[in-house]
Amino acid sequence: MNLCPTHALVLYCEVMRAVASAPGKVILFGEHAVVYGRPAIAVPVTQVRATAEAEPGEPGHGLVLVAADVGLTVPLAQAPADDPLATTARLTLDYLGVASAPDAVITVRSTIPIASGMGSGAAVSTAIARVLAALVGRSLTAGETSALVFEVEKLYHGTPSGIDNTVVAHERPVYFVKGEPPQPFPIARPFTLAIADTGIASPTKIVVGDVRRAWQANPAPYERLFDRIGAIAQAARQAMEVGDVAALGPLMDENHRLLQDLGVSSPELDRLAAAARAAGAWGAKPSGAGRGGNLIALIPPAQAALIGAALQEAGAKGVIVTQVG
Ligand code: PMV
């Protein structure tokens, strides 16, 4: 549809269109311990993405947000205060100092599994912030985008550590310590992950709360577990920076045992990990909050199909294979 006025005096009309996207993410090392100040590593998962596409809207109608996957249309002016898409748009326009929203339609789509620790919320917010900035002729740095998305995350996830918005907005592997500037770092040699979904929803807030209560009741052994998990994250960063992929498998396996000791693995996650290892994976562990969500396995790329089949046989509801680096 061409919305340019057809009046004879209009000699030139440029209608702005823009597209922006952002990847999913998985936590590779350090979940839970990161809440207690130890480092964690998260990496982008580029095979799955959220995309926001802006088109000109009806003149005078303001900004309209469309969540295409769920068939929801949200005019910004009428959106409730707790709508996450509208909140992202409002915070972005405020940040950019744009008083009135442009007449445009932003359509959001995502292939990132929702509520499975893959950062789908952060990715959708990132795509919206970026496309909206482009629409008003501005751009946001990765750091600015990350900070904006963190504000949205805080509204919906209580006390997020900030790892999701950081890795998704920077689209790079990130070494993350709570309260410190995130450290994106290079990966010297790419490696392949299989990400297997248990199909079990496990709210992060509940699992984090359980760990906190156990730590409060008996801090010393939990501190030791967190220290060891932190040391693994540190060693893994070094290994990735020098391309020592072989070192990563055993580190994942050890991190898995520590997550079991923390009480955040589950029979389903353990079964998927065992199946992946038996089929040739170099290492495996739960990713994210645990008890459900995803199992990640470091795999030889040539064995991706075999290991994917083994994971499905062991109960995975979906498997994503992705290259990191
Ligand atoms: O499941 P996810 O990706 O939301 O990860 C939770 C990670 C925790 O370390 C358990 C909590 C956090 O805020 O970092």
Side-chain angles (χ1 to χ4, degrees):
M1 182 170 42
N2 179 13
L3 291 173
C4 285
T6 49
H7 194 283
L9 289 177
V10 175
L11 301 178
Y12 176 73
C13 171
E14 187 185 58
V15 175
M16 198 155 188
R17 290 170 190 275
V19 182
S21 77
K25 74 104 208 341
V26 285
I27 295 180
L28 268 192
F29 294 98
E31 49 275 272
H32 289 289
V34 70
V35 176
Y36 299 83
R38 275 62 164 196
I41 292 173
V43 296
V45 177
T46 52
Q47 263 74 356
V48 286
R49 301 190 77 85
T51 306
E53 195 171 353
E55 296 169 297
E58 299 290 337
H61 282 214
L63 186 65
V64 176
L65 296 149
V66 178
D69 302 326
V70 288
L72 211 69
T73 297
V74 184
L76 185 64
Q78 287 126 48
D82 64 352
D83 180 90
L85 305 188
T87 301
T88 307
R90 288 188 185 119
L91 286 171
T92 305
L93 291 169
D94 275 0
Y95 179 77
L96 295 170
V98 176
S100 68
D103 292 328
V105 178
I106 294 180
T107 303
V108 181
R109 293 184 177 81
S110 175
T111 55
I112 305 168
I114 54 167
S116 68
M118 288 194 71
S120 88
V124 165
S125 295
T126 297
I128 291 176
R130 282 188 180 141
V131 88
L132 196 46
L135 204 57
V136 297
R138 305 275 292 279
S139 67
L140 294 166
T141 64
E144 287 173 315
T145 311
S146 175
L148 269 171
V149 174
F150 187 52
E151 292 308 308
V152 183
E153 295 272 292
K154 277 200 280 198
L155 293 173
Y156 299 100
H157 301 299
T159 52
S161 60
I163 199 165
D164 276 25
N165 49 285
T166 302
V167 71
V168 164
H170 288 264
E171 199 161 344
R172 287 183 58 191
V174 168
Y175 183 83
F176 184 88
V177 179
K178 199 170 161 180
E180 291 180 13
Q183 302 170 43
F185 67 95
I187 286 190
R189 191 187 301 174
F191 54 88
T192 304
L193 290 180
I195 304 166
D197 187 356
T198 58
I200 298 167
S202 169
T204 299
K205 232 179 181 166
I206 291 176
V207 189
V208 169
D210 286 352
V211 172
R212 180 166 298 278
R213 274 184 292 279
W215 167 77
Q216 277 165 341
N218 195 8
Y222 284 87
E223 287 293 328
R224 281 196 293 276
L225 290 174
F226 297 147
D227 279 344
R228 187 59 209 138
I229 292 172
I232 289 174
Q234 226 172 345
R237 175 184 175 165
Q238 262 162 18
M240 286 184 238
E241 281 182 333
V242 299
D244 185 6
V245 175
L248 295 177
L251 289 171
M252 288 173 78
D253 289 343
E254 189 182 350
N255 199 159
H256 183 182
R257 285 191 291 275
L258 294 162
L259 290 169
Q260 287 171 325
D261 293 347
L262 267 184
V264 300
S265 195
S266 71
E268 294 82 6
L269 285 161
D270 293 346
R271 188 167 63 236
L272 290 179
R277 291 184 193 115
W282 291 319
K285 64 179 276 297
S287 172
R291 301 234 176 105
N294 288 307
L295 185 282
I296 54 173
L298 179 71
I299 64 169
Q303 246 123 287
L306 193 87
I307 294 170
L311 284 164
Q312 270 170 341
E313 182 77 8
K317 300 292 177 280
V319 179
I320 293 167
V321 174
T322 188
Q323 183 175 299
V324 179

